[in-house]
Amino acid sequence: MKKKIAVLLTLTLAAAGLSACSGSSGTSGTQAAGSKAEGASTEAQAPSSEGGELVMAWWGNQVRNERTQAILDLYSEQNPGVTFDGQFSEWADYWNKLATAAAGHSMPDIVQMDYKYISQYVNNDLLVDLAPYIENGTIDVSNCNEDVLNSGKVGDGLYAICNGINAPALLYNKTALDEAGITVKDNMTMDEFITLCREIREKTGYKTNIAYNNGENFIEYFLRANDVVMFGEGKLGGTAEDYISYFKLYEEGIRDGWVVDPSIFAERTIGSVEQDPMVYGSSPETMSWCAFNYTNQLTAVRSAAPEGVEIGMTTWPSPDPVRSDYLKPSQFFAITKDSANPDEAAKVLDFITNSVECNNILLGERGIPLSASVADAISPNMDETSQEVIKFINEVVSENSSQINPPSADGSSEVNDLLNKLEESVCYGQMTAEDAGQQLFTEGSKIMESKKN
């Protein structure tokens, strides 16, 4: 076990340099979350017979932090004797802290979990199987879409409860583009996107940030166009040419002047909404007209945008948009094996899943609620941005997408760390796309093979 946790610590520390676009703030589609159902309760739970303090940790932004603290306060009010130590971090810090806590057997009771890493934590025996709590009625999933619910499964167990659904979203400075008379279409091909980037650079001066050092999600999206699943058990999917094509986006964009210079990220926290070059910077020369995010980040990005700047939303570009696009569990909540009170923690997960009062505070910040009846109940209270996301998911993405890839196998964090290093080398002109693609495929395959059970 000590060896396994040491491995997880290494993997997670590597992953901490990445930023999950799936993990800031959000909304999603009610229809996508599940079919209509009845029976969600707004009543307070019975006071806990055990009480005590629970530690709950999550990543995100200030909007998420404030709303999550508010629902924990509500739970404590409804369940006298139960208090919380809420621990909020930025994405990179979150995984560093969680890895360190895992190594010391001191993880929080409840953790926010990402789809990419759930398998790693389960395989290292760090999360509690929630199936018994569902079977005994502690966690009510009767109003939840089964396919979405099962996204928290690893093997025969269900180890996490999805917070909701979101989708890849290219957010962009609509104000700047409107002023230049430039229109952005949904479901752009990659060729259309590159043509658009060139036009925007020429007419506005704004360059393009293609998820610099934050491309772990985009490269998988890009590869899906060729029916390539990047991470398999003990191997990387596709061929070296698939990865060379990905790096060529950066090589050609830097060469032709429409991709942002990597030096602008030298003193920024990559993955921070507030420091993203779409909303942070003093001139178009050092800024991007777009950001590769997820729908559940639209609220936070709009909050971070300068006054007077309208943020628009469309799909990520791809050689084949329908093959590439997908609906994704926004994040999960899981109970750790280190919890001293997993029974109470399970009640908290039920509260987040089924309490209308709770979700009227969250208002779809992490994604539209998993419970369809809760989603229906809170929909009238959601803001204009949330309603826009619902429409985007239901009308743009749902009919033009494919099944999401399975969770990444062990070794993916190290491969993504290598991806970022190679991407940096390409953008600084220290390596060709050809060499970077070959190295990623060769060395990445070795990494995955070394993690094979």
Side-chain angles (χ1 to χ4, degrees), residues 77-96:
E77 179 184 328
Q78 296 181 353
N79 295 269
V82 181
T83 59
F84 292 91
D85 175 9
Q87 299 181 353
F88 158 72
S89 305
E90 292 281 357
W91 168 263
D93 286 343
Y94 178 84
W95 295 104
N96 273 324

Side-chain angles (χ1 to χ4, degrees), residues 438-453:
Q438 289 283 356
Q439 185 172 333
L440 180 61
F441 182 69
T442 301
E443 296 300 322
S445 295
K446 289 180 181 177
I447 291 170
M448 297 301 292
E449 176 65 27
S450 71
K451 305 300 180 182
K452 189 175 180 181
N453 294 327

Side-chain angles (χ1 to χ4, degrees), residues 49-369:
S49 60
E50 298 176 347
E53 183 180 70
L54 294 175
V55 181
M56 179 168 165
W58 63 92
W59 74 82
N61 52 69
Q62 192 56 33
V63 173
R64 174 171 302 164
N65 187 30
E66 292 172 357
R67 294 186 188 182
T68 306
Q69 291 285 358
I71 67 165
L72 298 184
D73 291 343
L74 176 63
Y75 187 91
S76 293
E77 179 184 328
Q78 296 181 353
N79 295 269
V82 181
T83 59
F84 292 91
D85 175 9
Q87 299 181 353
F88 158 72
S89 305
E90 292 281 357
W91 168 263
D93 286 343
Y94 178 84
W95 295 104
N96 273 324
K97 291 175 182 177
L98 194 58
T100 302
H105 299 286
S106 58
M107 286 194 296
D109 297 272
I110 301 171
V111 293
Q112 191 169 294
M113 180 54 57
D114 188 76
Y115 187 68
K116 275 186 172 293
Y117 306 123
I118 184 172
S119 292
Q120 294 176 22
Y121 278 79
V122 171
N123 291 340
N124 283 282
D125 196 30
L126 296 170
L127 303 182
V128 171
D129 185 358
L130 303 178
Y133 292 109
I134 293 173
E135 291 167 3
N136 69 20
T138 301
I139 301 176
D140 179 11
V141 297
S142 59
N143 297 318
C144 301
N145 178 281
E146 187 173 352
D147 290 338
V148 177
L149 180 68
N150 287 340
S151 63
K153 272 190 162 185
V154 178
D156 295 330
L158 181 72
Y159 291 91
I161 297 290
C162 177
N163 306 143
I165 302 296
N166 62 10
L170 186 74
L171 307 185
Y172 64 93
N173 186 334
K174 189 174 185 299
T175 299
L177 270 56
D178 284 351
E179 289 173 353
I182 299 172
T183 301
V184 177
K185 60 173 285 189
D186 295 327
N187 300 308
M188 280 185 288
T189 66
M190 191 57 65
D191 287 342
E192 289 172 333
F193 175 71
I194 292 172
T195 298
L196 179 65
C197 292
R198 295 178 190 276
E199 180 186 7
I200 291 170
R201 169 63 172 156
E202 179 182 346
K203 292 183 178 179
T204 71
Y206 283 93
K207 295 186 179 182
T208 305
N209 173 25
I210 310 179
Y212 178 77
N213 261 215
N214 189 17
E216 58 174 292
N217 294 299
F218 181 56
I219 189 171
E220 290 197 60
Y221 187 94
F222 180 86
L223 294 173
R224 282 165 57 87
N226 292 327
D227 288 332
V228 173
V229 175
M230 183 172 179
F231 296 111
E233 188 68 33
K235 65 178 182 179
L236 285 189
T239 66
E241 189 58 42
D242 292 309
Y243 300 90
I244 292 169
S245 296
Y246 175 79
F247 285 112
K248 280 184 177 179
L249 291 173
Y250 297 89
E251 183 178 63
E252 295 173 1
I254 291 286
R255 181 196 65 201
D256 297 341
W258 54 268
V259 165
V260 294
D261 192 283
S263 63
I264 70 170
F265 297 98
E267 297 182 358
R268 301 189 193 187
T269 300
I270 294 176
S272 168
V273 170
E274 292 76 13
Q275 295 182 42
D276 189 279
M278 185 177 67
V279 299
Y280 180 88
S282 57
S283 71
E285 182 66 28
T286 59
M287 297 180 70
S288 172
W289 66 274
C290 67
F292 284 73
N293 293 122
Y294 278 79
T295 51
N296 68 334
Q297 292 175 289
L298 181 59
T299 296
V301 171
R302 283 183 170 172
S303 297
E307 184 176 354
V309 173
E310 180 182 356
I311 302 298
M313 176 171 58
T314 187
T315 49
W316 287 359
S318 165
D320 188 326
V322 174
R323 284 185 180 179
S324 287
D325 211 356
Y326 54 83
L327 295 174
K328 180 183 185 296
S330 55
Q331 302 99 34
F332 300 93
F333 281 119
I335 301 171
T336 74
K337 286 287 186 75
D338 293 336
S339 176
N341 197 346
D343 293 348
E344 191 67 46
K347 295 177 184 178
V348 176
L349 298 195
D350 180 73
F351 171 75
I352 294 171
T353 303
N354 294 299
S355 167
V356 172
E357 193 172 359
C358 166
N359 283 280
N360 267 326
I361 294 172
L362 294 176
L363 286 177
E365 191 277 329
R366 286 180 171 88
I368 294 301

